[in-house]
PDB file of all heavy atoms in Angstrom:
ATOM      1  N   THR A 181      58.091  54.382 100.848  1.00  0.00           N
ATOM      2  CA  THR A 181      57.718  53.651  99.640  1.00  0.00           C
ATOM      3  C   THR A 181      58.370  52.274  99.639  1.00  0.00           C
ATOM      4  O   THR A 181      57.745  51.264  99.314  1.00  0.00           O
ATOM      5  CB  THR A 181      58.118  54.435  98.378  1.00  0.00           C
ATOM      6  OG1 THR A 181      57.503  55.724  98.425  1.00  0.00           O
ATOM      7  CG2 THR A 181      57.714  53.714  97.117  1.00  0.00           C
ATOM      8  N   PHE A 182      59.641  52.226 100.019  1.00  0.00           N
ATOM      9  CA  PHE A 182      60.356  50.946 100.099  1.00  0.00           C
ATOM     10  C   PHE A 182      59.649  49.991 101.058  1.00  0.00           C
ATOM     11  O   PHE A 182      59.386  48.834 100.723  1.00  0.00           O
ATOM     12  CB  PHE A 182      61.807  51.180 100.543  1.00  0.00           C
ATOM     13  CG  PHE A 182      62.531  49.912 100.891  1.00  0.00           C
ATOM     14  CD1 PHE A 182      63.030  49.087  99.894  1.00  0.00           C
ATOM     15  CD2 PHE A 182      62.708  49.538 102.214  1.00  0.00           C
ATOM     16  CE1 PHE A 182      63.689  47.907 100.211  1.00  0.00           C
ATOM     17  CE2 PHE A 182      63.374  48.362 102.544  1.00  0.00           C
ATOM     18  CZ  PHE A 182      63.870  47.548 101.537  1.00  0.00           C
ATOM     19  N   LEU A 183      59.319  50.479 102.249  1.00  0.00           N
ATOM     20  CA  LEU A 183      58.675  49.617 103.237  1.00  0.00           C
ATOM     21  C   LEU A 183      57.307  49.141 102.760  1.00  0.00           C
ATOM     22  O   LEU A 183      56.926  47.989 102.998  1.00  0.00           O
ATOM     23  CB  LEU A 183      58.570  50.337 104.579  1.00  0.00           C
ATOM     24  CG  LEU A 183      59.910  50.617 105.264  1.00  0.00           C
ATOM     25  CD1 LEU A 183      59.706  51.488 106.490  1.00  0.00           C
ATOM     26  CD2 LEU A 183      60.619  49.314 105.628  1.00  0.00           C
ATOM     27  N   GLU A 184      56.574  50.002 102.075  1.00  0.00           N
ATOM     28  CA  GLU A 184      55.278  49.607 101.522  1.00  0.00           C
ATOM     29  C   GLU A 184      55.467  48.504 100.477  1.00  0.00           C
ATOM     30  O   GLU A 184      54.706  47.539 100.437  1.00  0.00           O
ATOM     31  CB  GLU A 184      54.569  50.815 100.898  1.00  0.00           C
ATOM     32  CG  GLU A 184      53.212  50.506 100.341  1.00  0.00           C
ATOM     33  CD  GLU A 184      52.172  50.126 101.378  1.00  0.00           C
ATOM     34  OE1 GLU A 184      52.278  50.531 102.550  1.00  0.00           O
ATOM     35  OE2 GLU A 184      51.222  49.401 101.002  1.00  0.00           O
ATOM     36  N   CYS A 185      56.479  48.632  99.635  1.00  0.00           N
ATOM     37  CA  CYS A 185      56.755  47.600  98.629  1.00  0.00           C
ATOM     38  C   CYS A 185      57.180  46.285  99.284  1.00  0.00           C
ATOM     39  O   CYS A 185      56.797  45.203  98.820  1.00  0.00           O
ATOM     40  CB  CYS A 185      57.814  48.074  97.645  1.00  0.00           C
ATOM     41  SG  CYS A 185      57.218  49.337  96.487  1.00  0.00           S
ATOM     42  N   VAL A 186      57.956  46.355 100.353  1.00  0.00           N
ATOM     43  CA  VAL A 186      58.345  45.143 101.076  1.00  0.00           C
ATOM     44  C   VAL A 186      57.101  44.426 101.591  1.00  0.00           C
ATOM     45  O   VAL A 186      56.986  43.197 101.497  1.00  0.00           O
ATOM     46  CB  VAL A 186      59.315  45.477 102.233  1.00  0.00           C
ATOM     47  CG1 VAL A 186      59.475  44.287 103.178  1.00  0.00           C
ATOM     48  CG2 VAL A 186      60.676  45.902 101.687  1.00  0.00           C
ATOM     49  N   GLU A 187      56.148  45.188 102.113  1.00  0.00           N
ATOM     50  CA  GLU A 187      54.904  44.606 102.616  1.00  0.00           C
ATOM     51  C   GLU A 187      54.096  43.961 101.501  1.00  0.00           C
ATOM     52  O   GLU A 187      53.358  43.007 101.740  1.00  0.00           O
ATOM     53  CB  GLU A 187      54.053  45.673 103.310  1.00  0.00           C
ATOM     54  CG  GLU A 187      54.618  46.127 104.635  1.00  0.00           C
ATOM     55  CD  GLU A 187      54.603  45.032 105.689  1.00  0.00           C
ATOM     56  OE1 GLU A 187      53.599  44.302 105.780  1.00  0.00           O
ATOM     57  OE2 GLU A 187      55.602  44.905 106.410  1.00  0.00           O
ATOM     58  N   GLN A 188      54.210  44.477 100.286  1.00  0.00           N
ATOM     59  CA  GLN A 188      53.425  43.977  99.163  1.00  0.00           C
ATOM     60  C   GLN A 188      54.279  43.200  98.170  1.00  0.00           C
ATOM     61  O   GLN A 188      54.047  43.236  96.963  1.00  0.00           O
ATOM     62  CB  GLN A 188      52.737  45.145  98.454  1.00  0.00           C
ATOM     63  CG  GLN A 188      51.737  45.848  99.324  1.00  0.00           C
ATOM     64  CD  GLN A 188      50.976  46.900  98.550  1.00  0.00           C
ATOM     65  OE1 GLN A 188      50.897  46.868  97.331  1.00  0.00           O
ATOM     66  NE2 GLN A 188      50.389  47.828  99.274  1.00  0.00           N
ATOM     67  N   HIS A 189      55.258  42.468  98.683  1.00  0.00           N
ATOM     68  CA  HIS A 189      56.211  41.796  97.798  1.00  0.00           C
ATOM     69  C   HIS A 189      55.567  40.761  96.866  1.00  0.00           C
ATOM     70  O   HIS A 189      56.183  40.350  95.898  1.00  0.00           O
ATOM     71  CB  HIS A 189      57.343  41.160  98.605  1.00  0.00           C
ATOM     72  CG  HIS A 189      56.912  40.015  99.468  1.00  0.00           C
ATOM     73  ND1 HIS A 189      56.335  40.212 100.695  1.00  0.00           N
ATOM     74  CD2 HIS A 189      56.948  38.686  99.271  1.00  0.00           C
ATOM     75  CE1 HIS A 189      56.043  39.044 101.236  1.00  0.00           C
ATOM     76  NE2 HIS A 189      56.404  38.102 100.393  1.00  0.00           N
ATOM     77  N   ASN A 190      54.324  40.362  97.115  1.00  0.00           N
ATOM     78  CA  ASN A 190      53.638  39.433  96.218  1.00  0.00           C
ATOM     79  C   ASN A 190      52.893  40.154  95.093  1.00  0.00           C
ATOM     80  O   ASN A 190      52.327  39.514  94.216  1.00  0.00           O
ATOM     81  CB  ASN A 190      52.667  38.544  97.001  1.00  0.00           C
ATOM     82  CG  ASN A 190      53.403  37.547  97.872  1.00  0.00           C
ATOM     83  OD1 ASN A 190      54.470  37.069  97.507  1.00  0.00           O
ATOM     84  ND2 ASN A 190      52.866  37.256  99.039  1.00  0.00           N
ATOM     85  N   ASN A 191      52.883  41.471  95.120  1.00  0.00           N
ATOM     86  CA  ASN A 191      52.256  42.266  94.066  1.00  0.00           C
ATOM     87  C   ASN A 191      52.915  41.916  92.727  1.00  0.00           C
ATOM     88  O   ASN A 191      54.139  41.838  92.634  1.00  0.00           O
ATOM     89  CB  ASN A 191      52.423  43.750  94.402  1.00  0.00           C
ATOM     90  CG  ASN A 191      51.812  44.668  93.387  1.00  0.00           C
ATOM     91  OD1 ASN A 191      52.042  44.540  92.190  1.00  0.00           O
ATOM     92  ND2 ASN A 191      51.045  45.625  93.865  1.00  0.00           N
ATOM     93  N   ILE A 194      56.020  43.771  91.389  1.00  0.00           N
ATOM     94  CA  ILE A 194      57.337  43.632  92.028  1.00  0.00           C
ATOM     95  C   ILE A 194      57.669  42.194  92.418  1.00  0.00           C
ATOM     96  O   ILE A 194      58.665  41.955  93.089  1.00  0.00           O
ATOM     97  CB  ILE A 194      57.477  44.569  93.248  1.00  0.00           C
ATOM     98  CG1 ILE A 194      56.364  44.336  94.258  1.00  0.00           C
ATOM     99  CG2 ILE A 194      57.570  46.010  92.807  1.00  0.00           C
ATOM    100  CD1 ILE A 194      56.533  45.104  95.551  1.00  0.00           C
ATOM    101  N   LEU A 199      64.329  44.282  96.063  1.00  0.00           N
ATOM    102  CA  LEU A 199      64.114  45.690  96.392  1.00  0.00           C
ATOM    103  C   LEU A 199      65.311  46.218  97.173  1.00  0.00           C
ATOM    104  O   LEU A 199      65.756  45.588  98.123  1.00  0.00           O
ATOM    105  CB  LEU A 199      62.842  45.842  97.231  1.00  0.00           C
ATOM    106  CG  LEU A 199      61.559  45.284  96.614  1.00  0.00           C
ATOM    107  CD1 LEU A 199      60.413  45.377  97.612  1.00  0.00           C
ATOM    108  CD2 LEU A 199      61.227  46.004  95.319  1.00  0.00           C
ATOM    109  N   ASN A 224      62.004  39.271 104.292  1.00  0.00           N
ATOM    110  CA  ASN A 224      61.028  38.383 103.665  1.00  0.00           C
ATOM    111  C   ASN A 224      61.676  37.083 103.201  1.00  0.00           C
ATOM    112  O   ASN A 224      62.644  36.614 103.777  1.00  0.00           O
ATOM    113  CB  ASN A 224      60.273  39.082 102.541  1.00  0.00           C
ATOM    114  CG  ASN A 224      59.324  40.139 103.081  1.00  0.00           C
ATOM    115  OD1 ASN A 224      58.943  40.102 104.240  1.00  0.00           O
ATOM    116  ND2 ASN A 224      58.947  41.074 102.250  1.00  0.00           N
TER     117      ASN A 224
END
Side-chain angles (χ1 to χ4, degrees):
T181 303
F182 169 78
L183 293 173
E184 182 67 26
C185 287
V186 167
E187 289 293 318
Q188 296 186 21
H189 67 278
N190 290 326
N191 180 310
I194 56 173
L199 304 174
N224 290 339

